[in-house]
Amino acid sequence: MKYALRIALPKGRLFEETLEFFKSKGILEETFEEGRRLQVRMGDYEFLLVKPFDVPVYVENGVADLGVVGYDVLLEREPEVYELYDLGIGFCRLVIAGKEEMLEQYKKASFLRVATKYPKITREFFLEKGIKTKVIYLNGSVELAPLLNLADVIMDLVQTGRTLKENNLVVFEEISPSTARLICNRASYRNKKDEIFSFLSKVQEERPKEAIQPHQRAT
Ligand SMILES: Nc1ncnc2c1ncn2[C@@H]1O[C@H](COP(=O)(O)OP(=O)(O)OP(=O)(O)O)[C@@H](O)[C@H]1O
Ligand SMILES: O=P(O)(O)OC[C@H]1O[C@H](OP(=O)(O)OP(=O)(O)O)[C@H](O)[C@@H]1O
């Protein structure tokens, strides 16, 4: 039997949390390992395991009906998809950060070199502030850039703040919070309405917390 929906999932950091979320909603009965298989069939669904930034590509082009992706990626790529639901997982913040001694200079700057994995969000953010920028695209370990004077500041994700702290950087300004979102292909939304609404109702369903085990009961 053919699957009802094809769903693109982000490999990496959001992967486990997404599987746990789907399990808690009864969408997945068992978990699957993040191995080498990139196409996994489970019940009514076929899951595609792809890079986080590629999730919107699969959904926008109709290869996947649905996808799970961080809001940060949606802001950067602005794909032509519908955003259906905030899963409330993968919470982090997009921020400008730098060396503490740069803060006063940052506040007065008319030009900045900014290292980031998010060039579009960065350009738009500083354009609105009237600050000229040289945006330096990096694919990771962005925190290194101000330490080695490759950039004045960075625009990156922060969750616990540990990476910033360990590299002696501090947050200058917050741009946006981010959580994982469920996105939908526009044609699928019309052509597979029943399947998508059935999936969405499962995702939105409030399920009772697991029964308290006897050994956990307060005495
Ligand atoms: N430190 C973090 N804490 C919480 N969520 C995060 C954090 N970093 C990233 N995320 C969220 O998880 C998503 C995927 O992050 P991940 O680090 O796995 O991807 P990536 O760095 O784009 O991928 P890759 O390293 O494979 O190129 C991000 O788009 C963001 O929404
Ligand atoms: O505030 P924290 O909890 O320390 O998390 C923030 C770090 O997590 C992400 O990087 P990731 O670990 O995905 O590695 P990367 O540098 O390769 O993007 C992000 O780019 C920060 O570097």
Side-chain angles (χ1 to χ4, degrees):
M1 205 183 72
K2 198 178 177 319
Y3 56 83
L5 292 172
R6 202 187 245 169
I7 304 168
L9 298 183
K11 293 199 289 182
R13 210 178 259 274
L14 280 178
F15 187 70
E16 284 302 326
E17 247 186 301
T18 304
L19 294 189
E20 283 309 312
F21 178 86
F22 283 169
K23 267 168 69 185
S24 76
K25 300 289 180 177
I27 292 165
L28 281 177
E29 277 166 19
E30 50 189 306
T31 194
F32 46 89
E33 300 301 318
E34 189 179 4
R36 305 311 300 171
R37 266 175 77 205
L38 304 175
Q39 226 174 335
V40 181
R41 173 76 192 265
M42 236 178 230
D44 280 344
Y45 309 114
E46 183 179 270
F47 296 95
L48 305 179
L49 278 51
V50 305
K51 283 273 192 184
F53 269 86
D54 293 341
V55 168
V57 179
Y58 282 86
V59 177
E60 187 171 33
N61 289 288
V63 173
D65 304 296
L66 296 171
V68 173
V69 64
Y71 184 62
D72 52 312
V73 175
L74 293 181
L75 278 182
E76 179 64 24
R77 293 289 158 90
E78 292 191 324
E80 301 272 317
V81 297
Y82 295 129
E83 189 186 317
L84 297 185
Y85 191 70
D86 183 344
L87 277 64
I89 58 173
F91 180 79
C92 50
R93 300 178 294 141
L94 277 165
V95 303
I96 306 292
K99 292 197 271 189
E100 197 163 9
E101 59 267 30
M102 260 297 288
L103 181 57
E104 288 313 308
Q105 208 177 315
Y106 172 77
K107 286 181 185 163
K108 292 181 284 195
S110 56
F111 172 80
L112 287 165
R113 295 170 304 151
V114 192
T116 187
K117 199 174 175 173
Y118 303 88
K120 182 173 163 293
I121 305 175
T122 302
R123 281 197 190 95
E124 286 175 1
F125 179 74
F126 285 109
L127 190 68
E128 210 158 283
K129 288 164 80 85
I131 297 170
K132 290 196 173 67
T133 50
K134 175 180 178 189
V135 175
I136 298 155
Y137 176 80
L138 291 176
N139 203 20
S141 303
V142 178
E143 290 83 357
L144 261 181
L147 305 182
L148 302 175
N149 197 26
L150 174 63
D152 302 312
V153 292
I154 61 170
M155 196 289 239
D156 198 17
L157 292 175
V158 175
Q159 191 210 8
T160 61
R162 193 172 158 198
T163 312
L164 286 185
K165 199 160 182 236
E166 290 193 4
N167 291 289
N168 298 314
L169 301 174
V170 295
V171 173
F172 287 177
E173 232 179 315
E174 176 162 334
I175 296 183
S176 171
S178 173
T179 44
R181 306 294 162 96
L182 181 70
I183 57 170
C184 181
N185 173 265
R186 291 187 178 184
S188 300
Y189 189 79
R190 286 192 303 276
N191 304 333
K192 296 189 177 179
K193 221 178 182 83
D194 291 347
E195 294 89 335
I196 285 168
F197 272 77
S198 153
F199 185 87
L200 195 56
S201 69
K202 286 184 200 165
V203 164
Q204 290 174 324
E205 193 184 337
E206 288 297 332
R207 290 164 70 93
K209 294 257 180 295
E210 273 176 38
I212 300 174
Q213 297 299 310
H215 69 270
Q216 293 177 318
R217 239 175 241 146
T219 50

